[in-house]
Amino acid sequence: PVASDTFALSASLEGVYESLNLEDAIGFLQNGENTIAVEVHQSDAASSDLSFDTDLISTNTDGMDATLVARHALWVYDDTGVDRGPSNQDPDQAWFGPQFDDSDWDAGLAELGYGDSDGTTRFPTPVSFGPQIDDKFITTYFRREFEIDVETIASLESLTLTMRRDDSAIVYLNGKEVVRDNIDEGNVDAFTLAIAGSATTTNWTISKDDIVPGLNTIAVEVHQQAPTSADLFFDQL
């Protein structure tokens, strides 16, 4: 039996997600409200951290329900203030293209950001705004890959992207711009400001024609409304 003082077998790497197939547990589900409970154990009493996050994803008999990128997922990001180039550059050479090598970027769990808009937010992954508090970096870049098979693509009608951002964002899927939110039309670079200071969560519908069987890349650039802005954050829900 496991008790409250039972240790984990070993320490686990931070930010690593494990997928478990709960097909044998289907019989425990009931119509209406269900309750899921989790207990998290440390590997050592002197352990310096503890974390927990989960997604429970169901698939119907037609295979039509699928979560491609979950909330609080692991992203790589560039918060160094470097100008990654204009939004109209060749996707084969651009930071938002599938071929881009992001192996030297930092990685962390969403929600990623700094400051907060409600006085209570604590970000799992703080990002840097640079050395000067009154002259912050305008743009921070994020990337993530996901996989999907031919059968799942065929079963989909469209994709829904739910994004939480402050202040503005451009989203690219496999090198193609698919969402532009609170930022001017036309060419955008690292110094382009958001139209207004705004923190919001919005749903966007994306054509399934923009995804491919196998590995896909989603990239997001988040822009501030001013270099003195108090906060910046991003998550895909």
Side-chain angles (χ1 to χ4, degrees), residues 202-222:
T202 308
N203 293 326
W204 305 85
T205 299
I206 301 172
S207 171
K208 75 172 187 178
D209 295 338
D210 295 323
I211 57 177
V212 297
L215 200 62
N216 291 257
T217 301
I218 185 167
V220 183
E221 55 182 282
V222 176

Side-chain angles (χ1 to χ4, degrees), residues 33-55:
E33 187 174 307
N34 290 258
T35 300
I36 185 169
V38 180
E39 56 181 274
V40 179
H41 292 249
Q42 293 279 39
S43 64
D44 189 285
S47 179
S48 62
D49 55 5
L50 179 146
S51 62
F52 166 74
D53 190 13
T54 189
D55 282 293

